[in-house]
Amino acid sequence: MTPGSRTCLFDAAQLAVLLDNMAEHCAGLLRGRQRVAVIGIRHRGAPLADLLTERLVAVHGMAPPLRLDLLVKRYADDLTLLHPETQLTEQAQHAALDLSGYTLLVVDDVLYTGHSILKVVNYLVQKQPAAIRVAVLVERAGRCLPLAADVIGTRLEIAPPGHHRVPRATV
């Protein structure tokens, strides 16, 4: 593979099955909750949030949830940091938003180090929700913060740059 090229992990049919499974797990977490909000992390988490929301409503019979997106900046696809610190930009319409009592489903594409999810969760906690759940399409090895997603499409065991797998010694 050439540097800077992308790898396609799933074809359209495989992605649809993965999203169906994720929606089923999300529906189980959200079932019986009166007030639900699905929050996508822009840019790639927002389209996934839309796809999960569609499935939750159409397949699992949920009432249409409140749908929001949050803009978080930290990384680029080549894994070099564009912003040394994770930045969450609060939009004016979110500043006065009352999410108290809501169950929030935060959706992102990849959980890698955990910085973006942690920034979003810390922001949302201030809105006093009843619960916060996290769904990610891909959980990648290399998380450095003590958090986990509630719903994971798939896990990738890709070592972070500079880390090499050391064979275990046999005794």
Side-chain angles (χ1 to χ4, degrees), residues 8 11 25 31 38 41 52 55 57 66 71 74 77 80 99 103 111-112 116 124 134 142 153 162 167:
C8 181
D11 63 25
H25 285 85
R31 194 165 284 120
V38 177
I41 298 179
L52 284 175
R55 284 166 168 79
V57 172
L66 176 63
L71 179 58
R74 179 158 176 92
D77 288 342
T80 59
L99 294 176
T103 297
L111 173 56
Y112 178 35
S116 298
L124 292 172
V134 175

Side-chain angles (χ1 to χ4, degrees), residues 92-103:
Q93 69 268 28
H94 295 162
L97 190 61
D98 181 14
L99 294 176
S100 59
Y102 274 80
T103 297

Side-chain angles (χ1 to χ4, degrees), residues 36-94:
V36 174
V38 177
I39 301 171
I41 298 179
R42 291 195 333 210
H43 289 281
R44 293 186 185 107
L48 289 170
D50 289 337
L51 294 170
L52 284 175
T53 299
E54 289 171 11
R55 284 166 168 79
L56 289 170
V57 172
V59 177
H60 298 282
M62 282 184 55
L66 176 63
R67 234 335 247 113
L68 306 168
D69 292 326
L70 295 175
L71 179 58
V72 178
K73 296 179 184 179
R74 179 158 176 92
Y75 58 88
D77 288 342
D78 65 358
L79 302 180
T80 59
L81 296 180
L82 293 177
H83 304 280
E85 294 181 18
T86 305
Q87 301 173 351
L88 187 147
T89 304
E90 181 178 56
Q91 297 172 327
Q93 69 268 28
H94 295 162

